[in-house]
Amino acid sequence: MHRWSKLFIPTLREAPADAEVASHKFLVRAGYIRQLGAGIYSYLFLGQRSIDKIVDIVREEMDRIGQEFLLPTIHPADLWRESGRWTIMGDAMFRLQDRKGADLCLGMTHEEVVTDIARSELRSYKQLPQIWYQIQTKFRDEPRPRAGLLRVRQFIMKDSYSFDLDDAGLDRSYDLHDAAYRAIFTRCGLQFVAVEADSGAMGGSRSQEFMVYTDAGEDLIASCAACGYAANLEKATSRLAPVNDMAPTGDGQVEIVHTPGQAAIADVTKFFNIESSSDIKCVAYMAKVPQSASDAKKPSPEVQSAWQPAAAFLRGDHFVNETKLLKVLGATELRPMVAEELEQWMHAPAGYLGPVGLDPAQTINDTRLNVVLDPGLQNRHNLVCGANQLDYHYRNVVPGRDFTWTVVADIRNVLEGEGCPVCGQPLKVAKAVEVGHIFKLGDRYTKKMGVRVLDANGKEVTPVMGCYGIGVERILVAAIEQGNDANGFWLPRSIAPFDVVVTVTNVADASLKSAGEQIAAALESAGFDVLLDDRDERAGVKFKDADLIGVPYRVTVGKKAAEGKVELVVRSGAASRDVPISGIAAELTHATSGS
């Protein structure tokens, strides 16, 4: 057993001033973590015990399907240049140079490293499939660290990589990870949902995130209770309810209207007495698009990027999902057009932008304006939009008749209450924390980095890859967000630093102290991880600390010990009952049988 009096558990009565979410407040107050710098934390005794238990679960499940590696955290830039991601990762990557001036980075992820091993070691289909995993520290130069362990610059990740001969093999590796992840999160006591997701900078085709609903989350999830559909907002789609188009005015042709000072959509809809769904919203961007060396004006061994203009058009009641738009444009970054760029490409000031008169085929210095139309505007009639001149709008605008576009693509955020794309029932949109993510990468890395093996016919082929990640600290954060109240939090037994705290209310009473010692020893012999609170503190202080630190059960050794009884407290519901001392191990075993 562990004795509280001998441990370093620096609990606090107050949360740090910058703590906004429950997990951040309680991780600090319970003495699990201490901040060293922005997005950089030290794990103290209790925090490390929980992290170790999570890691043990992850390792046990991953050992069933793969082999554990430990890969370097410092990578040579040349590997990332080969894959094209040295430029794509941008400012999120920590970069440095050695004393000889060679470029290096701190690893955010390890696709390049494992692919380098694969091309050096894999020669035949007989060596496939392979699943390699590691539990390793990762680094990300997060611009706005916040929410404790949710958005940090150094974190622990389980990442694994599969190599298969063909897509059928990749399907099997993907399914193995899907099952392993579900087992991991279930064993960690999380209530999670698996959702369709965007692959982001990792690339690839099929992608699935494992999410835990919580208001502390930074992701939004659209889900359907009726059929089980769920997707990250960056991937989610919906069925739109029919919209009644306005009747045309005059001869039904485009008509210009003087609208002085009516720049905002709310002003425009009020001016024309229309619903915002009948207004065409324009959002003008500059998109950073990678170019190969052959596309760039000056050849370079690295992938270059160029800023290209893009105009996104969608219904006035809809909002651009920039992740979707990035994917449509093949871009890595977006920023709003500044006034000079609006004049150059849109020939108009902000607030009065519109698609009529734009020519998607027009080029300026070999650069073309990309005009992206959201499907919500297709087959619509008699809409209102900016006239690309100050204080004027058009009405009676018909997409396809009065303007054209470069591409039609879903670029909008799904909204609460819209129809599920599968069954049509209303969607729920809520915040969630991502705890895991699995991708099918295909041959994105193996092809670029020259991995070749011989198949059964002696033909040289390119293997396909999958990539699979779990945020270890995020499991802890999600569990705290799931189970907390005003007094602290409770963790599932599987990841709690201790199963039970035995609280002796008065250690000055020799009989109580002795009873506490005996009970703690008996529980430890029964297989429980026990913390004995033998501090010379008031009972109230001990109770508050026990409630705070995440231990799921408490045994209180107080006055009733003289009658052969102790109090068993279940932290999750603050339920308590008196239990005979002789039967405490059996009672606790019964209480924890479902945990």
Side-chain angles (χ1 to χ4, degrees), residues 248-259 272 356 383-385 387 392-397 401-402:
T249 60
D251 60 3
Q253 297 302 303
V254 173
E255 177 185 353
I256 193 166
V257 179
H258 188 216
T259 54
F272 284 97
V356 178
L383 305 177
V384 168
C385 68
Y392 284 91
H393 281 76
Y394 287 129
R395 62 183 171 195
N396 297 335
V397 175
R401 183 194 73 180
D402 301 316

Side-chain angles (χ1 to χ4, degrees), residues 410-430:
D410 172 21
I411 56 170
R412 68 179 183 86
N413 278 330
V414 165
L415 299 177
E416 177 103 15
E418 291 177 349
C420 169
V422 177
C423 69
Q425 293 300 304
L427 288 171
K428 169 190 173 184
V429 176

Side-chain angles (χ1 to χ4, degrees), residues 344-362:
Q344 181 182 20
W345 293 105
M346 308 297 293
H347 316 296
Y352 298 91
L353 306 178
V356 178
L358 294 182
D359 182 4
Q362 179 187 4

Side-chain angles (χ1 to χ4, degrees), residues 96 141 512 531 548 574:
L96 64 155
D141 194 1
L512 290 185
L531 173 61
L548 176 63

